[in-house]
Amino acid sequence: MADILDRFFYARTLAIVGASSDPAKLGGRSIRHNQQLRYSGRLLPVNPSVPMVQGLPAIASIEDLPDDVDCAVVALPAAGVEKAIEDLAKKGVPLAVILSSGFAEHSPAGAAVQARLVSRAREAGMRLVGPNSMGGMSFVNAMSATFTSISEHEGRDFPALGAVSIASQSGFIGSHLMGVLRDRGLGIAKWLATGNQADVDLSDCIAHYARDEVTRVIVVYLEGAGRADALRAAFDLARERGKPVVALKAGRSDLGARAIASHTAALVGDADVYDAVFRRHGVIGVASLDELADVVAALDTGRLIDGRRLGVATVSGGFGILISDVAAQHGFELPELAPDLQTRINEAYSLATTRNPVDMGSLVRFDTAVAALQDHGYDALVFAAGHFGLVTRLAEQLYAYVATARDREPERFIAVVACLSEAWCRKFQQLGVFVCEDPARAVRALAAVSFWNKAAPDYAASDIPDTGFLPIEGSVALESRNERGARDLLRAIGVPVVEDILAKSGAEAAVAARRIGGRVVLKIVSSDIAHKSDIGGVRLNVDPSEAEAVFDDMFQAVRERAPGAHLDGVIVSPMISGGIETIVGVKRDAVFGPVVMFGLGGVFVEVFHDTAVEIAPFGRTTAHALIHAIKGYPLLLGVRGSPPADLEALADVLCRISVFAATHAEQFESLEINPLLVRPDGVLALDALVAGPNAVARSMSADATS
Amino acid sequence: MADILDRFFYARTLAIVGASSDPAKLGGRSIRHNQQLRYSGRLLPVNPSVPMVQGLPAIASIEDLPDDVDCAVVALPAAGVEKAIEDLAKKGVPLAVILSSGFAEHSPAGAAVQARLVSRAREAGMRLVGPNSMGGMSFVNAMSATFTSISEHEGRDFPALGAVSIASQSGFIGSHLMGVLRDRGLGIAKWLATGNQADVDLSDCIAHYARDEVTRVIVVYLEGAGRADALRAAFDLARERGKPVVALKAGRSDLGARAIASHTAALVGDADVYDAVFRRHGVIGVASLDELADVVAALDTGRLIDGRRLGVATVSGGFGILISDVAAQHGFELPELAPDLQTRINEAYSLATTRNPVDMGSLVRFDTAVAALQDHGYDALVFAAGHFGLVTRLAEQLYAYVATARDREPERFIAVVACLSEAWCRKFQQLGVFVCEDPARAVRALAAVSFWNKAAPDYAASDIPDTGFLPIEGSVALESRNERGARDLLRAIGVPVVEDILAKSGAEAAVAARRIGGRVVLKIVSSDIAHKSDIGGVRLNVDPSEAEAVFDDMFQAVRERAPGAHLDGVIVSPMISGGIETIVGVKRDAVFGPVVMFGLGGVFVEVFHDTAVEIAPFGRTTAHALIHAIKGYPLLLGVRGSPPADLEALADVLCRISVFAATHAEQFESLEINPLLVRPDGVLALDALVAGPNAVARSMSADATS
């Protein structure tokens, strides 16, 4: 078995270390579950103190276990875990699931123990789930290795075997989702809580679900990713296998991130970066448990939405309006029904509203509306009956219409927006339709299904940049405090940088100015002076004929106001005007490594925070998506008659920066080009700041405000 | 009875015109309802064809009705309605509720009939509800006058008598909400569907609920308001009586607005304006039926939230994180628990997370967390137990803790976030706590409760502007196409306008420029030329000594390029720089009349649509709120070392404009000052455009871009 999680989800021999006779206890509950589930594998309770555990003969010690244990669940107090792992390692057990908590999530001492567990397991070739994991269940294998209380839910059973699998860092949330999805009438294939993710993490779990035979929809609850590359690869694998991933990222806010530290001790990373990762890999990001359940229920129908055109039939104009509002908000269209189809509806009911939404006022002749919408050919159909669904004769009527529609179009996505009893809800779901009580939630879920279908493969993993354009070889001089370092670096990357010439005297300044041609900017070079313009160290709009005089005047002024400063000379550069100021940055995300940030410069970034990020590296498709993602995008297309900016040149620079950031990630902390002027005929960096591990390099600054 | 709706909600004698023996029919259903409800008033079915209707003696005609009918329900086909209203008017019945549809919502012919119904009723002093109304119910009076199917809901009953009253334009939505709220365990006092609102509208209904004895929470579903002033007055009355109004405005999008036209034929108005009205009058605006139900359930507890500090205890770290994220999003704070209280929790359970959210991992010793949060004194408490609520022994445990907390603090707002059976849910609700399954929805509802409590009275109706500052008397010359009309108007309103002098010759231009002092702008005056700068009709940055020459040169240039244009002369105005460009506009909303729009100018309004609106007129408090509402607000406070803008002067101008807009609403269509420069020491209008009913007046334009 190549996949270590096969040992868990298809375990034929399962040992419970710390097995308890009390089915309410941590070490007792899974034994009860397996009896309830009629687990067909061998269940081996390890307990030195008693002869029998819940009717099964106890095994006195790990040593006494047989040699073919697939997986051992460790349900001991924290203090006993290290010894147990040692024994399991000796025994050659391939996988241990540690339910115990009190490790990295609890204290530095706990973190140290956790590190020792991992290193001992690695030595022995044993894999670990947890610690601080709630374990999991495999309905494919009718097996439980968890202390979830789901079996005790009043009047409810375990979920049925189905096509949804859950990977969750939090055990409680994973278990909760299992219950919530069950109560929505969905079946579950597998779930696993990864807890502290000392070894096995969400990416292993997602990759397992992507490869398996039963899973069709993958649910992920994550606080902080473990191995970022593995996670992204797992997302791609799922997409490749045609399985949508629905992810709820918790800890988006500072408050939430603070709460994570003491929960699963995960590195949190930036919420915007997660969004970028989700977008890039076609993962459906959701914001709440509710939304997650809706989206999963919609996807569980197995039907896709290959467009934005909704056809809506309703028994209430109000519902039609509410659905229209949410549809518009999510970018759906409600094209008008063809005139002949409208006529057909009007012939059936003269007071009907026929355009789309079609409002029949009641379920009388509703079938006419359904058929007309199908004849028109929308990408998805929504039938809204609201509380009529609670009236048995009306539910029957609606069911008949929907069943007919399903027969006619087996693959069309159909949503039924209605209040239904559990029994009726299941009947509708068996037709492969999505049932949702609230119209706004229903349409939101449709939008997610449609997003997943649209997320184009060329915008995902296959947008691999052509690194051939990047001439950087070996190390880059980032360590020196040379002001020209950042500029040289940008030029090496292939970013056009404003021309500048160092002048040591007035005469040299005059020569430089004539060489540049046109009006110039003069700026003092000195690593001792932070704010040059404050002491007269910057002169704008200088005529070349005056350059020598201005040089002398400026040098004297600066000498007087900053007597101690060492002056290296003056930078002469052209006076630049026009173009749109943008900002391009690279920063390192705690989880995903280097990311490229893009936005409009000046107040747009400072006040409006109008920026977007993408994980480095990326190619042109992603670069254009990044440019498009900012709200100020229309400015780049030209407003008030100004010409459009050169977006190809901008995309090229963003790609180059992203490749540099990815390939030289270890050599610098951050990089910022501010501003990068985007002009109708190319881009031009006016100023840049690069922070290496040990130093900061700032480029020449030719802008008017420095 | 001063309030006409007393005739409906407390009807002692109710006539059903078009009463049917079939309890499934429009005219039969309410009779069945009243029998089920044991209505104690007199129920009089009018039907000429049968002797008995559902066990009641039929009355042959409206003429034969007794003289003390409070309210007549008209359940006839559309064709019979006009005759029935005529007969009811003759009979002197004070109120008719018309269930029939096929009027203004259907066709122009239907609209004409509807107009006749109203005028006949007015003549007779009779009031009308509908047409196209679903009627309503009064649980206070155990009375039904509607054909809702709620009585047929499988395994469910009518809602219990409670404190929530519903006013809905759509009957189906009103009826649906009644069912949804019932299924949330809430009681209903009254509901009425206003339909086409030919006479009685939502404002009558809201005002009735505001004044009555039983209603504590008012629910409003609106598509388009009827009488805007009455609606606003009703909102204020509700607020004055301490009753929160929760409003769902449908038709926010173009798609939705389109759908309204054929539903209740209401004037839609602008969604942003509704938001402004809601904000101004302390109405809680919600975006979906789901959110509405959550918020109403939270308010139905009768407890308020008087601050932003949440205390959270949870059995799951994941839930704590999810709650933290949503709390942050809604502006709540989660201050850390006092150290001694944290110690107390840790003594009870060493693995607890104690800061806030307090994570106890289970319900064991959860009472310690609850008590500690109460001792700390948060503004609201959230207890999250998720699916544990479905385990009977855990629900019991949680109930005991919450009951103790309620005893200690009878008025504290407490939310229980848990999955609960219906029976358990009711038990918790009887403690006066808010129960919600989803953490995100729970916190969103808390935010609404907190908003309602905070909406300050001085920001609502009492912010009445001091009209004394406004010197405008009589009519304003808006009809002339004189370029100076808009400028004169602004000056009359009290808005500082850039100085400008009309010069007819080069010599006059020179005099004007010297009088202004400093560099000036020269601009051609001609009503024949739209884009003056395109043909050289604008000269910037002119030295006064060159004004005469520039005048001559410009006149000649314009003559050559626009030979047919009549030139009135040249406007000389100072060259202005500095300050922040803003835009102030007045437009007329279809429902609410004149509104004032404010935003940053240039690309901020064009690309970022960063504007906010307020209903005119308003005073300084509202003006400052309007200024604060735009995203670019920090720009006005000064960024990058620029001085703060003069917000007092800006607020003053906004107030003046708003009062002018309100008092002269009939005299102009729209007004736009663009740009209004906001400087550190006052504001200055550079250009303005006023469109009257018959003409457009444009002010002098002294900006650099025109």
Side-chain angles (χ1 to χ4, degrees):
Chain A
M1 288 191 286
D3 182 338
I4 187 63
L5 288 179
D6 284 346
R7 295 285 191 172
F8 182 80
F9 290 113
Y10 301 98
R12 299 313 306 153
T13 306
L14 182 71
I16 312 287
V17 180
S20 169
S21 298
D22 182 349
K25 289 230 165 118
L26 193 78
R29 208 169 287 174
S30 68
I31 297 172
R32 166 61 66 89
H33 291 169
N34 283 312
Q35 292 170 343
Q36 291 168 325
L37 289 164
R38 300 169 193 268
Y39 172 53
S40 64
R42 261 196 308 174
L43 190 63
L44 304 174
V46 179
N47 185 325
S49 324
V50 293
M52 300 287 284
V53 173
Q54 299 185 51
L56 297 170
I59 291 169
S61 72
I62 290 169
E63 267 189 346
D64 299 331
L65 283 169
D67 292 333
D68 61 349
V69 170
D70 289 307
C71 172
V73 176
V74 179
L76 297 165
V81 171
E82 202 164 1
K83 170 76 167 61
I85 292 298
E86 175 61 37
D87 294 347
L88 289 168
K90 278 189 193 144
K91 191 77 199 175
V93 171
L95 176 67
V97 177
I98 307 173
L99 307 187
S100 327
S101 51
F103 295 89
E105 87 287 2
H106 182 245
S107 63
V113 179
Q114 180 174 313
R116 291 203 298 275
L117 298 180
V118 174
S119 92
R120 181 64 189 97
R122 290 245 160 90
E123 259 174 48
M126 178 168 70
R127 302 294 303 274
L128 299 181
V129 171
N132 191 28
S133 156
M134 203 190 265
M137 297 183 78
S138 172
F139 294 98
V140 183
N141 196 23
M143 184 277 288
S144 167
T146 174
F147 56 94
T148 171
S149 57
I150 195 168
S151 59
E152 296 179 66
H153 290 181
E154 195 68 30
R156 288 168 166 94
D157 210 337
F158 285 116
L161 171 61
V164 179
S165 289
I166 301 167
S168 174
Q169 272 177 274
S170 158
F172 188 89
I173 298 280
S175 175
H176 184 79
L177 283 172
M178 192 162 54
V180 166
L181 295 175
R182 171 200 61 194
D183 295 347
R184 285 288 287 253
L186 308 186
I188 306 290
K190 305 168 176 179
W191 83 273
L192 182 62
T194 53
N196 287 6
Q197 305 197 132
D199 176 17
V200 168
D201 67 8
L202 290 177
S203 62
D204 297 302
C205 212
I206 295 164
H208 174 89
Y209 297 155
R211 277 191 292 260
D212 79 7
E213 300 288 313
V214 287
T215 302
R216 279 194 291 112
V217 180
I218 300 172
V219 172
V220 180
Y221 168 83
L222 74 169
E223 297 181 355
R227 296 162 297 138
D229 289 344
L231 184 68
R232 295 177 63 189
F235 287 155
D236 284 341
L237 184 63
R239 188 154 188 92
E240 204 182 296
R241 302 291 171 104
K243 299 181 184 182
V245 177
V246 185
L248 175 56
K249 159 74 178 110
R252 300 185 63 87
S253 63
D254 288 347
L255 282 179
R258 196 187 73 183
I260 284 180
S262 50
H263 185 224
T264 47
L267 274 175
V268 178
D270 188 338
D272 292 347
V273 177
Y274 277 94
D275 289 342
V277 170
F278 290 170
R279 205 169 52 237
R280 185 100 165 259
H281 295 275
V283 170
I284 302 169
V286 293
S288 71
L289 295 167
D290 244 23
E291 186 182 356
L292 186 145
D294 293 333
V295 172
V296 172
L299 290 166
D300 194 55
T301 64
R303 272 74 176 183
L304 300 177
I305 302 177
D306 196 17
R308 309 300 284 169
R309 301 171 312 123
L310 291 190
V312 180
T314 164
V315 298
S316 147
F319 263 82
I321 300 163
L322 292 173
I323 289 170
S324 301
D325 279 347
V326 197
Q329 190 187 324
H330 288 285
F332 282 114
E333 296 153 17
L334 273 76
E336 230 173 81
L337 205 57
D340 57 318
L341 298 171
Q342 294 195 46
T343 306
R344 204 204 291 166
I345 294 169
N346 255 147
E347 281 165 8
Y349 177 52
S350 67
L351 291 181
T353 303
T354 55
R355 294 200 296 186
N356 183 27
V358 177
D359 173 14
M360 299 301 286
S362 74
L363 283 171
V364 180
R365 304 305 312 268
F366 198 80
D367 50 342
T368 322
V370 170
L373 292 171
Q374 288 195 294
D375 287 344
H376 188 92
Y378 291 100
D379 299 315
L381 299 173
V382 180
F383 304 136
H387 66 101
F388 276 3
L390 295 174
V391 180
T392 303
R393 66 183 166 83
L394 299 179
E396 277 166 5
Q397 215 172 349
L398 182 64
Y399 180 82
Y401 301 151
V402 175
T404 305
R406 174 50 80 223
D407 272 351
R408 274 191 69 189
E409 297 192 294
E411 288 310 316
R412 179 70 60 218
F413 191 99
I414 297 176
V416 170
V417 176
C419 309
L420 293 168
S421 70
E422 215 167 300
W424 272 111
C425 192
R426 300 301 161 264
K427 277 195 73 172
F428 277 95
Q429 286 175 323
Q430 278 153 24
L431 293 176
V433 308
F434 168 50
V435 179
C436 192
E437 194 170 309
D438 186 75
R441 289 173 61 174
V443 175
R444 184 179 63 179
L446 262 63
V449 174
S450 155
F451 159 81
W452 188 78
N453 204 48
K454 273 176 53 138
D458 70 316
Y459 175 47
S462 66
D463 187 21
I464 294 163
D466 170 15
T467 51
F469 64 63
L470 197 71
I472 293 179
E473 293 282 333
S475 69
V476 178
L478 285 173
E479 300 305 319
S480 77
R481 214 175 152 77
N482 181 341
E483 287 224 343
R484 301 170 70 97
R487 187 201 53 180
D488 293 343
L489 172 64
L490 291 186
R491 289 195 173 135
I493 295 172
V495 179
V497 182
V498 69
E499 186 183 5
D500 54 24
I501 301 169
L502 181 64
K504 300 268 187 184
S505 68
E508 280 183 30
V511 171
R514 275 196 300 276
R515 213 170 86 197
I516 287 169
R519 287 177 170 263
V520 295
V521 175
L522 268 58
K523 190 183 297 186
I524 281 287
V525 182
S526 166
S527 46
D528 299 329
I529 302 171
H531 299 287
K532 298 176 176 65
S533 53
D534 292 357
I535 56 160
V538 180
R539 299 289 172 94
L540 304 173
N541 212 21
V542 175
D543 191 279
S545 65
E546 296 163 358
E548 182 159 0
V550 169
F551 180 100
D552 295 338
D553 183 56
M554 183 162 81
F555 240 69
Q556 195 183 334
V558 171
R559 281 252 158 74
E560 280 168 20
R561 298 194 204 170
H566 177 79
L567 306 184
D568 296 323
V570 159
I571 283 293
V572 184
S573 51
M575 181 74 196
I576 304 287
S577 62
I580 296 168
E581 283 193 17
T582 68
I583 176 170
V584 176
V586 177
K587 59 174 186 171
R588 192 162 334 179
D589 184 71
V591 171
F592 292 98
V595 298
V596 175
M597 183 271 284
F598 170 71
L600 296 178
V603 297
F604 295 103
V605 61
E606 283 175 36
V607 173
F608 289 88
H609 310 294
D610 183 24
T611 59
V613 294
E614 273 296 344
I615 311 291
F618 52 76
R620 282 174 178 271
T621 310
T622 305
H624 279 290
L626 175 58
I627 297 166
H628 200 115
I630 63 167
K631 291 191 200 72
Y633 176 69
L635 271 180
L636 295 167
L637 301 181
V639 289
R640 294 185 155 188
S642 62
D646 188 342
L647 297 187
E648 286 305 322
L650 176 58
D652 180 67
V653 159
L654 289 169
C655 291
R656 285 170 184 273
I657 295 282
S658 82
V659 174
F660 169 76
T663 50
H664 296 72
E666 302 311 313
Q667 283 164 270
F668 69 100
E669 291 296 329
S670 70
L671 180 157
E672 187 177 292
I673 308 176
N674 184 10
L676 177 75
L677 273 189
V678 188
R679 312 167 90 185
D681 55 349
V683 299
L684 192 61
L686 297 194
D687 202 357
L689 192 67
V690 182
N694 308 312
V696 172
R698 192 172 183 108
S699 81
M700 305 300 94
S701 176
D703 66 317
T705 53
S706 66
Chain B
M1 289 192 283
D3 182 338
I4 188 63
L5 288 179
D6 284 346
R7 295 284 191 173
F8 183 81
F9 290 114
Y10 300 100
R12 298 316 303 153
T13 304
L14 182 70
I16 312 286
V17 180
S20 169
S21 297
D22 182 350
K25 289 232 163 113
L26 193 79
R29 209 171 285 173
S30 67
I31 297 172
R32 165 63 63 89
H33 292 168
N34 283 312
Q35 291 170 344
Q36 291 168 328
L37 289 163
R38 296 167 197 271
Y39 172 53
S40 64
R42 260 197 307 174
L43 190 63
L44 305 174
V46 179
N47 185 324
S49 324
V50 293
M52 300 286 285
V53 173
Q54 299 185 50
L56 297 170
I59 291 169
S61 71
I62 291 170
E63 268 189 347
D64 299 332
L65 283 169
D67 291 334
D68 61 348
V69 170
D70 289 306
C71 172
V73 176
V74 179
L76 297 166
V81 172
E82 201 166 0
K83 169 75 166 62
I85 291 299
E86 175 60 38
D87 293 347
L88 290 167
K90 278 189 194 146
K91 189 78 198 176
V93 171
L95 177 67
V97 177
I98 307 172
L99 306 188
S100 327
S101 50
F103 296 90
E105 87 287 1
H106 181 245
S107 62
V113 179
Q114 180 174 315
R116 291 203 299 272
L117 298 180
V118 175
S119 94
R120 181 63 190 98
R122 289 244 161 88
E123 259 173 47
M126 177 170 71
R127 302 294 303 273
L128 298 181
V129 171
N132 191 27
S133 156
M134 203 190 268
M137 297 182 79
S138 173
F139 294 98
V140 183
N141 196 23
M143 183 278 288
S144 167
T146 174
F147 56 94
T148 172
S149 57
I150 196 167
S151 59
E152 296 179 67
H153 290 181
E154 196 68 30
R156 290 169 165 92
D157 210 338
F158 284 115
L161 172 61
V164 179
S165 288
I166 301 167
S168 174
Q169 274 177 272
S170 158
F172 189 90
I173 298 281
S175 175
H176 185 80
L177 283 171
M178 191 163 54
V180 165
L181 296 174
R182 171 199 62 195
D183 295 348
R184 286 286 288 252
L186 308 185
I188 306 291
K190 303 170 178 179
W191 83 272
L192 182 62
T194 53
N196 287 6
Q197 306 196 131
D199 175 19
V200 168
D201 66 9
L202 290 176
S203 63
D204 297 301
C205 210
I206 296 164
H208 174 89
Y209 297 156
R211 277 190 292 259
D212 78 7
E213 299 289 312
V214 287
T215 302
R216 280 195 289 108
V217 180
I218 300 171
V219 172
V220 181
Y221 167 83
L222 74 169
E223 297 182 355
R227 295 161 297 138
D229 289 344
L231 184 70
R232 296 177 62 189
F235 287 154
D236 284 342
L237 183 64
R239 185 152 191 94
E240 205 182 295
R241 302 290 171 102
K243 300 182 183 182
V245 177
V246 184
L248 175 57
K249 159 72 180 113
R252 300 184 64 85
S253 62
D254 288 347
L255 282 180
R258 195 186 72 183
I260 284 180
S262 48
H263 186 224
T264 48
L267 274 176
V268 179
D270 188 338
D272 292 347
V273 176
Y274 277 93
D275 289 343
V277 170
F278 291 169
R279 201 168 57 237
R280 184 99 164 259
H281 295 276
V283 170
I284 302 170
V286 292
S288 71
L289 295 167
D290 244 22
E291 185 182 358
L292 186 146
D294 293 333
V295 171
V296 172
L299 290 165
D300 195 55
T301 64
R303 273 73 176 184
L304 300 177
I305 302 177
D306 197 17
R308 307 302 285 170
R309 301 170 313 121
L310 291 190
V312 180
T314 164
V315 298
S316 149
F319 262 82
I321 300 162
L322 291 173
I323 289 170
S324 301
D325 279 346
V326 196
Q329 190 188 324
H330 288 285
F332 283 113
E333 295 153 18
L334 274 75
E336 230 173 82
L337 206 55
D340 58 319
L341 297 170
Q342 293 194 46
T343 306
R344 204 204 290 166
I345 294 169
N346 257 146
E347 281 165 8
Y349 176 53
S350 66
L351 292 180
T353 303
T354 56
R355 296 200 294 186
N356 182 27
V358 177
D359 173 15
M360 299 301 286
S362 75
L363 283 171
V364 181
R365 304 306 313 270
F366 198 80
D367 51 341
T368 323
V370 170
L373 292 171
Q374 289 194 295
D375 288 344
H376 187 92
Y378 292 99
D379 299 315
L381 299 173
V382 180
F383 304 137
H387 66 101
F388 278 2
L390 294 174
V391 180
T392 303
R393 66 183 167 83
L394 299 178
E396 276 166 5
Q397 216 173 348
L398 181 64
Y399 181 82
Y401 301 151
V402 175
T404 307
R406 174 51 78 222
D407 272 352
R408 276 191 67 191
E409 296 192 296
E411 289 309 316
R412 180 70 61 218
F413 191 99
I414 296 176
V416 171
V417 176
C419 310
L420 293 168
S421 70
E422 214 166 302
W424 272 111
C425 191
R426 301 301 161 265
K427 278 196 73 170
F428 277 94
Q429 285 175 324
Q430 277 154 24
L431 293 175
V433 308
F434 169 50
V435 179
C436 192
E437 195 172 309
D438 185 75
R441 288 173 60 173
V443 174
R444 184 179 63 178
L446 262 64
V449 175
S450 156
F451 158 80
W452 189 78
N453 204 48
K454 274 176 52 140
D458 71 316
Y459 174 48
S462 65
D463 186 23
I464 294 162
D466 171 14
T467 51
F469 63 64
L470 197 71
I472 293 179
E473 293 282 335
S475 71
V476 178
L478 284 172
E479 300 304 319
S480 77
R481 215 175 151 76
N482 181 342
E483 287 226 342
R484 300 170 72 99
R487 187 200 55 179
D488 292 344
L489 172 64
L490 291 186
R491 287 194 176 137
I493 295 172
V495 179
V497 182
V498 69
E499 186 184 4
D500 52 25
I501 300 169
L502 181 65
K504 301 266 189 185
S505 67
E508 281 183 32
V511 171
R514 277 195 299 276
R515 212 169 86 197
I516 287 168
R519 288 179 170 261
V520 294
V521 175
L522 267 59
K523 188 184 298 187
I524 280 287
V525 181
S526 167
S527 47
D528 299 328
I529 302 171
H531 300 287
K532 301 177 173 64
S533 54
D534 293 357
I535 56 159
V538 180
R539 299 289 172 93
L540 305 173
N541 213 21
V542 176
D543 191 278
S545 65
E546 296 164 357
E548 183 160 359
V550 169
F551 179 100
D552 295 338
D553 185 54
M554 184 161 80
F555 239 70
Q556 196 183 334
V558 171
R559 281 252 158 73
E560 280 167 21
R561 298 197 205 169
H566 177 80
L567 307 184
D568 296 324
V570 160
I571 284 293
V572 184
S573 52
M575 181 75 195
I576 305 287
S577 61
I580 296 169
E581 283 193 17
T582 67
I583 175 169
V584 177
V586 177
K587 58 174 186 170
R588 193 165 330 180
D589 184 70
V591 173
F592 293 98
V595 299
V596 175
M597 183 272 283
F598 170 71
L600 296 179
V603 297
F604 295 103
V605 60
E606 284 175 34
V607 173
F608 289 88
H609 310 293
D610 183 23
T611 60
V613 294
E614 273 295 346
I615 310 292
F618 51 76
R620 283 175 177 273
T621 310
T622 304
H624 279 290
L626 175 57
I627 298 167
H628 200 115
I630 63 167
K631 292 192 199 75
Y633 177 69
L635 271 179
L636 295 166
L637 301 180
V639 291
R640 296 186 153 185
S642 62
D646 187 342
L647 297 188
E648 287 305 323
L650 176 58
D652 181 66
V653 159
L654 289 169
C655 291
R656 286 172 184 270
I657 295 281
S658 82
V659 174
F660 168 75
T663 51
H664 295 72
E666 302 312 313
Q667 284 164 270
F668 69 100
E669 291 296 328
S670 71
L671 181 158
E672 186 177 292
I673 309 176
N674 183 12
L676 178 75
L677 273 190
V678 189
R679 314 167 87 183
D681 56 349
V683 300
L684 194 60
L686 297 195
D687 201 357
L689 191 67
V690 182
N694 308 311
V696 173
R698 190 174 185 107
S699 81
M700 306 301 93
S701 175
D703 65 319
T705 52
S706 63

